[in-house]
Amino acid sequence: GLSTMIQDQAIAASEAGAEEQVPDRDRILLEVIATDCREGRRPTPSEVLAAARKMDPSELTGCGAGMVTRCLKKYGIAPPRKSNNRREFRDINSKVLHRIEQRYGIDLGFGSDDSQGDGASDKPSQTSLPSLETGDGKGRGQELGQLGQ
């Protein structure tokens, strides 16, 4: 009835408001990092900035690599870690990006469809276990899957 309609409108207004709260600059940086994650890359802040500038140079004038790190940190993306003299964003996966999508109402291509991204979800799936095959046709994945039963 009426209460359901009011509730639906409140949810829609809340989602629209969340999307409007994400500045264009932040949205561009999140889209770049999402693309890198999907393609298996671990970019540096400078690489993220360069790709973002290609998408919209006017939105990122005067921004540096440090700003990229600070901006992404606001959304729960861990600062890049240094390895082999290269400071890369390493802790980004589809689960992190899906949480950002839900919390801020933006589409980064990591919705509830598990066929996208690295398939990370809250519950283990049997389809992700064949990489544990032992070679005898009875993978450890089957054993692991039976532990909780």
Side-chain angles (χ1 to χ4, degrees), residues 68-116:
V68 170
T69 300
R70 287 188 301 278
C71 172
L72 294 176
K73 188 176 178 182
K74 290 188 303 191
Y75 297 95
I77 295 175
R81 294 182 298 173
K82 195 169 188 177
S83 176
N84 295 328
N85 284 334
R86 186 173 153 84
R87 191 172 300 277
E88 301 173 329
F89 288 102
R90 297 172 177 271
D91 302 322
I92 302 171
N93 57 43
S94 63
K95 194 171 189 177
V96 170
L97 293 166
H98 180 63
R99 187 187 74 238
I100 292 169
E101 284 181 321
Q102 289 180 318
R103 185 171 292 156
Y104 296 98
I106 57 177
D107 182 13
L108 299 172
F110 288 90
S112 59
D113 180 9
D114 273 342
S115 68
Q116 294 184 6

Side-chain angles (χ1 to χ4, degrees), residues 38-56:
R38 231 184 329 278
E39 295 176 1
R41 289 193 300 265
R42 296 190 311 200
T44 65
S46 296
E47 291 168 347
V48 172
L49 182 60
R53 282 187 173 146
K54 286 180 183 175
M55 289 175 67
D56 190 347

Side-chain angles (χ1 to χ4, degrees), residues 1-22:
L2 184 60
S3 65
T4 303
M5 191 167 71
I6 292 171
Q7 186 177 13
D8 290 345
Q9 286 179 332
I11 290 170
S14 172
E15 288 173 352
E19 191 165 336
E20 290 172 11
Q21 291 174 351
V22 178

